[in-house]
Amino acid sequence: MAAELEKQGLNKRVWFLCPTVALAQQQHKVISSQLPAFQSRLLSGNDGVDKWKSQSLWDTALLNISIVVCTHRVLLDALIHGFVQMASIALLVFDEAHHCQVRHPGNDILQRFYHPAKLEGGGDIPHILGLTASPIMNAKGGGLQTIEQNLDSVSRTPKLNRDELLRYVHLPQMVPIVYNDSPFPQHAACIAARDLYEYLKNNSKDDPYVIALQSDGHEVNPKKLKKALSGKTFCQEQSKKLSIMALDVHVELGPWASAHYLYSCISKFEKGRVDTILTADDVGRKEYQYLTQCFDRFIPAHDISETPKAEALSHKVNLLVDSLAGEINDHFAAIVFVRTRASVWLLRHLLENDPRTSHLLRIGTFVGTSSHQNRTENISGLVDVEGQDDALEGLRTGKKNLIISTSVCEEGLDISACNLVVCFERPPNLKSFIQRRGRARRTDSRYLIMLAEHETVLLENWKTLEQQMKEMYMDELRQVEELERLESGEQGYREFFIPSTGAKLFLDDSTRHLFHFCNTLPSNGYIAAEPIFTFREHQDNGLISCHVLLPSSVDASVRQFNSASAWKTERLARSDAAFEAYVHLYKAGLVNDNLMPIDVVDKDIQKVLAELQKRPNVVTVDGQLDPWRLIATKWLTGSTVYSHSATVALSDGSSIAMQLICSVQLCLVPGLRLYIDKGTTAELTIQNTTGDGLIMLEGAAKVTHTILNAGLWNRMDGLRNSFPVLCIPNEALQDCQGWQTRVSGTVKAAEMLAQESLSKTGLIRDSNFSNSAFVYHSVEEVYDEGGDDLAATALKLKVKKFPKRRNFLQRIDAAPDSQGSGMSSHDLSSCSVELLPVQYAWFSIFFPSILAHLGHFLVAKQLCESLLLSVELSNVALVQSAITAPAAGTASDYQKLEFLGDSLLKFQCSLTLISTHRRWHEGILSRAKDHIVSNGNLSATAHVLGLAKFILTKSLTWHGWRMPYNEDILELTEPEDRELSTKVLADVVEALLGAAYLDGGEEKLLRCLRTLLPRSEWPSTADCYQALSQAAVSLEDNALPEQYKPLETLIGYDFRNKGLLIEAITHASYQSTSKLGSYQRLEYLGDAILDNIVTKTIYAHNPDMPVPKMHLLRSTSVNGNLLAFLAMSRTVAVDFAEIVPPSADSEPTIFPSKKHLSLSMFLRAAPISQLTLALQQTYKRHEASRDTIDRQLHHGDRYPWTELAALNAEKVVSDLVESTLGAVVIDSGGDMVACERWLENLGVLPWLRQAMDRDVSLLHPKEGLGIVANTMSVVYKTTPFKEQVIDQTESEVSELRYRTIVSVGDREICAATGVSRMDAETRAADQALDVLRAEGKDTAAQMDTVSRDDGADENDEDDTIDDEFQDAHSDMSM
């Protein structure tokens, strides 16, 4: 149906025709759930279709309807009255097509409308599909040919797979049960019912209806009056039906049943009389009153036992009860077929109360539904049709074990296989016999037919029929044996040889190889990835050919093949087709030279990987490169020196202007922020590099010694001054010696105070504090508190302690006072002042940090000029950050660049692989991508390239630090090898990619990839998108089926190639010979697109954002449950029509409405009940939690991890988000703006921006609990269990649930249950956090500390936040 509608569009419809309303209801339920993108409508008498008397009414009701499900009569009447034209029908589906004979409405449709239209030569006639398991209606023969002619079709049966079918079809044992039908004396109530009818018939003149016809004021209608006097009145007809049915019940079930039936009918009638009187007209009220009076007179109310005695039941019923009681076991499931609705109700009541069966049976009833809304009130009807659908569902789930039904359950309805079927009356024809027997499909099932003793001839007929069928079964079994003989006798030989390895493919092994290949394909969780074999028998010679269709995840060019030859048996035909398929898979590169599915791991690096795997966390690498050896060599060889202007801007607005002199150029040195205390920083900038041979180096060296000695005197070697970098104040450039003379020595503080020069000089020393230095602040006068003299008695210096810290590269969180820089007062007399201005003292203690910064820069510069030379990086500062590990202890390290580079690598790798390997399915692509971006591969690559020596891990530690001198530097041995975690090696590779991208966009990113990962191809993104666009399959005429056009509105993008959109919504289970594939490859690409857009958005938002928060933002934004929630929340409205059924005195009302469809409702998938159920449950949970999650996302102070885990969305929903992203990016030629627009419409980017701006807790409860637990262990003990729940049909069913007990340390905190393991564990963690908060644990503060901490342990194996929480439930990872 879907294929037909995709071809025809909305201008034509599919009409699905059923023989009964009950079957139509069931089929509509299935169709609407399996094809939600195609709007369907059920039409029945309940909708008042018999009163739809205008074309506009029909047009409104069928607006945008693609599939109409109804009985044959509904369509026939619509065709007769011209409301529906045969040309408007794309496909006619006849369910239970064997009915299309003689004067059946289905056959009338064909004979009156279809065949005439075909004879007129009009090509615009519908296709026809007939479905039946019983093409023969009776024993006369010829029925199949008649049906073929009527349906203008050819029958197709599973003849070629009959061997497997016959082996697994379980035929029931037919058991006749003969009962004694001797008559019982009639119960008094039954006789009274007959007497009542005779009385009413003989006293027609007293009938209210007759009186009304003859009353004054009415014009007498002779025909109506004559008809009424002959017994055609409500009162007489109801009493007649009641009497006849009571007699029938008496004969079939016995006197107790007839009495119980009568009293129950009258009781029900009188209970409903009040409502009837209020709604009926005057005549109707009088009729009900008259009939009630007659009942009271002839059949007065009488109590009757609910539990009948066996002697009060017919022999037939007793045999039934005994038979059922004897058949019941733990797996009992049965259907009892009866003729009338009354028998259905009575047998249920009887079996539920009879002591032989009351405790054993769980009974449901099914009698179908009326095809008319306004069915005439029938006093003889007892069965309540409400809830009968639950009876069938109950039989399936085990809630019921017996269904009592009329013939409506014979055909069509989806009923679970039974192990017992009982015909309470003999089947009326061969069709009923076969169809009822077909309900007993379980192993060792039984088919009981109840026959009266006088029906001996019929019994013999049934035995003869059974014998004929047994002979037919034996013939079929002999056919199976013949097939087995042929298969064992027929031999075939084919061979395919691979010279490079000597591998061989043989015909007998080909099927096994093909199944193994399919088992390596990505599984969708609902259908096995297996080849589908179909067979064709050649009419001329009886030989068999085979066609094999591989799963849709395989590229269309190698998805289907035919056997090269025709064979006598299916086995060899199958092997031949499998042989052809496997040879072509090899030629397509999907099978390697060993005839195994391809392995995508780079063989050239496997040895390195194997070595790394011996020590999975660390690897021995070169020591950190020492850049000062080259500088020291140049100093001592007298080469050119270079002068650089350096400025240190202090936070008080002052600055220190210096010249830095070095033997190499320090151009492009990035600025350096020096962290003095929590609230105080200084900024170093270096610029204006010039070669200057005129500088007096000896004087400059002495000046440098003077300055550095001010703060580093205890870390210097006497008067040695061969420093690798010299520093000279600008004011000393012209006269180094004179400047040095002026700033050397100390002066008494009192003397400086007299000269009013204290504030312009250097550090202050107090003889009472020999190891401390101070910075002048002010002078304060001290007074004698006890004296009368107002003159000051002493002067004190108020000073601030000069810092002892010498590493100013790291941020500090402590307050200034805690760093030892508070104010203090000192006696003026004990203080002296150094003549060197204090700003140079500051510069001296900054020098170790500046030297370390310059060293890091020089390493980065050397990397740019060697290994990365071809990349042509201009921003060395980015490279410096990219190679600086967190262990180096600088304020800027590789973590943010690695965050960006990780996403860039994943995106570029995914794009490259999918564009250069068109035939690779998603499984191979994912394995290849995972290998390339893995820490193992990246670290191995870095190791092979020698990148490790450039990685900066040494931190500046004041303990043990000594001033470096050129001679000492050259005497040092080469750096010793060190151990680095493989993660650090991999992180640096990704950080360098991030740096290259920021330095020069895609061009430099690709250069860097080609340099660092040379074993992979790295074409430009433009070339990739062009290749993908050219390879994309287009629809015929590039026409998007009408049903899918709302998708473009939903996404906010008009596709140029509509085939990409169709492929993006096609599930892997959807088998088709079309060249279109499933969405898996697009989803693979879309995953990388999503990650890339989110990562860039986060990176660009705030440069100072802590790295852990960046990871949390990314993992929460791409979380599968969030994507699914947003996808289900965003819908597109399509026109629809609501039908208000008519009442007794009103016409039906049809009014325009809207139907809202979300992305996953457009899914093209095979009709898999598990997938349909999973999606329905997902929608149900979404509807229940939508407001809560939406409120938490937009207004809450925490990310709704727990609520999203409880959503437990089916993965296909989030897959579709990513697959449509992949389709958009290919169709647009790489237009990221178009992709961002889809994510904007979906709500991903709006939420992300909001989360970046608001103070929202993003930590997963499990992560938060681990933080709060600190050093205590956290243990989750999760066990699955079955829980009884009420499903959508209000039936009690058993569903899988999980229970988690969480313990912290030795203490069990709490327990929680959920619909998945992740749901249960997330709930438990969340509740445990609540418990600990209530106990006063400061979880918020601890978790906030984590979110602000931008440090990381270099030995961490992975980005744990991304890896563990990127998808909150493991089956929904991106």
Side-chain angles (χ1 to χ4, degrees), residues 190 750 1091:
C190 192
D1091 185 90

Side-chain angles (χ1 to χ4, degrees), residues 992-1055:
L992 286 170
L993 295 175
Y997 176 78
L998 294 176
D999 188 59
E1002 179 198 329
E1003 182 180 351
K1004 289 191 178 180
L1005 170 64
L1006 290 173
R1007 290 181 193 170
C1008 195
L1009 281 167
R1010 292 163 187 155
T1011 300
L1012 297 180
L1013 296 168
R1015 292 177 179 83
S1016 301
E1017 300 178 42
W1018 300 106
S1020 69
T1021 55
D1023 290 342
C1024 290
Y1025 288 126
Q1026 183 178 6
L1028 288 170
S1029 180
Q1030 291 174 349
V1033 178
S1034 300
L1035 299 177
E1036 185 177 350
D1037 299 327
N1038 199 34
L1040 184 66
E1042 292 288 336
Q1043 293 79 7
Y1044 299 120
K1045 286 184 177 179
L1047 259 177
E1048 293 185 313
T1049 303
L1050 182 72
I1051 296 172
Y1053 179 79
D1054 291 331
F1055 282 82

Side-chain angles (χ1 to χ4, degrees), residues 252-320:
E252 292 291 328
L253 307 180
W256 173 89
S258 62
H260 193 77
Y261 169 73
L262 282 169
Y263 293 138
S264 298
C265 287
I266 294 171
S267 175
K268 181 181 178 183
F269 173 77
E270 292 183 343
K271 287 179 180 178
R273 186 168 62 88
V274 175
D275 294 336
T276 304
I277 289 174
L278 291 175
T279 57
D281 56 18
D282 184 61
V283 175
R285 286 194 294 272
K286 291 179 179 179
E287 286 178 321
Y288 275 88
Q289 290 170 348
Y290 178 64
L291 198 53
T292 301
Q293 293 169 0
C294 292
F295 284 147
D296 291 341
R297 175 182 171 187
F298 285 86
I299 317 174
H302 181 76
D303 291 334
I304 188 167
S305 173
E306 293 289 334
T307 305
K309 296 181 179 179
E311 56 269 21
L313 301 174
S314 68
H315 184 229
K316 183 178 184 180
V317 169
N318 280 307
L319 284 176
L320 173 66

